[in-house]
Amino acid sequence: MALTAYCKKCGREVEPGEICPRCGTRLGKNAAHAAWCVERTPVKDWMYWNSVMRVLLPAALVILVLVLAAEAVSGGVAAVERMMTSVFPLTLLILLAAALLAVFAALLLQGKELSDFVVDSRGIHETRYLPDPTPLKLLARLRSPAAAKQAEGGDARVLMLSRRDLAWKDVARVQLWPEKCMILFYAPAWWLRIPAICTPFSWDDTIGFAREKLGKKKKVKLPPSMKADAPAARRSAFREPAVEQIRMDDMEPAWGDSFADPAPAEGENPPADFAEEEPKA
């Protein structure tokens, strides 16, 4: 389970509750949190491409509009038509393709990284780490190769890249992407701040935190299933097939399991699936 609590006296993560099961110290009301880690490959991660395209495409559009506006002012509609039939649009497309190729090469050279996510009573926190920070990986991230030597110990195997914190009070919109097991947090409503990549076991805990902190806020745009006044039946039905499929694929129901059919009452025949085969003649 991803949901744990931190005991200040023990200095360890323990099961959430009012009292620490190890030392008996009373845990604070806000001690519970969900924490997990995922491995990411930037060149295959849509969120990295999304962060680049949000800047690159508007920049190309602005250049096109400015050039056409300048032609319209200087030569009128005829000048605009000549510009659109010239090599300018093709040149702009070539430059855009070259920029995308450069981004692809940079993301490919970055290698893999780790993202630690923590969701607690204060908000959502993401910390990115780079395992084995080679000079090439650092240069692909526009960082100095000396950054690895400046890390703690001087011979770091893992280098912290960045940390992002988003308080619940700043969240303006939440979107769910169950196919990718991802929860998108926006602040403001038009800007993606943290895409929380969940594991199958941290999905429900993160949804629970978000519903508790944001479900009653009318100014926050939420999916219907995350609102505080959503019917209980609707909340329980929110478990998306994509998430449930990940959890249940490798599990076979056993007699008496929590997700299997209940055992029959005494004197009743079991279902056909569990009935013993009759001996063949």
Side-chain angles (χ1 to χ4, degrees):
M1 294 294 292
L3 188 63
T4 59
Y6 180 75
C7 178
K8 294 182 179 179
K9 185 175 181 180
C10 296
R12 297 181 178 180
E13 298 287 342
V14 297
E15 295 182 2
E18 296 183 358
I19 298 177
C20 175
R22 291 179 175 271
C23 64
T25 303
R26 181 174 294 277
L27 300 174
K29 295 181 179 180
N30 300 327
H33 59 269
W36 68 97
C37 180
V38 294
E39 185 183 75
R40 306 175 67 178
T41 305
V43 73
K44 298 179 181 179
D45 196 315
W46 162 246
M47 287 303 160
Y48 284 90
W49 284 99
N50 179 56
S51 61
V52 173
M53 300 302 287
R54 282 186 295 173
V55 177
L56 192 59
L57 292 181
L61 182 61
V62 168
I63 293 174
L64 177 61
V65 171
L66 290 177
V67 171
L68 294 180
E71 289 295 322
V73 171
S74 61
V77 177
V80 174
E81 292 178 352
R82 287 195 301 269
M83 177 61 67
M84 293 303 296
T85 56
S86 66
V87 297
F88 173 72
L90 180 60
T91 303
L92 188 60
L93 288 177
I94 292 175
L95 292 176
L96 183 60
L100 291 176
L101 184 61
V103 171
F104 173 81
L107 293 179
L108 183 63
L109 294 175
Q110 288 181 10
K112 295 182 179 180
E113 64 182 49
L114 302 174
S115 288
D116 277 350
F117 292 94
V118 177
V119 179
D120 54 22
S121 60
R122 295 175 298 172
I124 311 99
H125 319 278
E126 179 191 9
T127 307
R128 294 168 52 235
Y129 296 94
L130 176 63
D132 188 20
T134 62
L136 184 60
K137 292 180 180 179
L138 292 171
L139 287 174
R141 289 176 167 81
L142 302 180
R143 289 172 175 263
S144 171
K149 297 181 181 180
Q150 295 174 358
E152 184 178 358
D155 186 22
R157 296 294 181 89
V158 178
L159 175 67
M160 189 179 76
L161 295 174
S162 64
R163 177 180 174 85
R164 292 188 292 184
D165 301 287
L166 178 60
W168 292 117
K169 62 182 180 62
D170 297 328
V171 176
R173 181 161 67 103
V174 178
Q175 280 189 326
L176 303 178
W177 195 354
E179 292 80 10
K180 297 293 185 181
C181 208
M182 191 179 299
I183 305 174
L184 310 179
F185 295 94
Y186 292 79
W190 48 269
W191 188 257
L192 178 61
R193 285 283 298 276
I194 296 182
I197 306 173
C198 301
T199 64
F201 303 103
S202 62
W203 175 272
D204 290 337
D205 295 330
T206 307
I207 292 291
F209 267 108
R211 182 185 294 119
E212 178 183 354
K213 298 296 182 179
L214 305 174
K216 296 181 180 180
K217 295 184 177 181
K218 296 182 179 180
K219 294 183 178 180
V220 180
K221 298 180 180 179
L222 297 172
S225 57
M226 290 184 61
K227 295 182 179 179
D229 57 352
R234 189 171 186 178
R235 291 183 187 176
S236 61
F238 173 68
R239 299 178 182 270
E240 297 286 346
V243 178
E244 288 301 308
Q245 186 70 20
I246 297 174
R247 298 183 181 182
M248 309 296 286
D249 273 347
D250 300 328
M251 300 183 183
E252 295 182 0
W255 194 262
D257 282 352
S258 59
F259 50 80
D261 293 332
E266 185 176 357
E268 294 183 4
N269 294 325
D273 292 342
F274 295 92
E276 297 181 358
E277 296 183 0
E278 296 183 1
K280 298 180 179 179

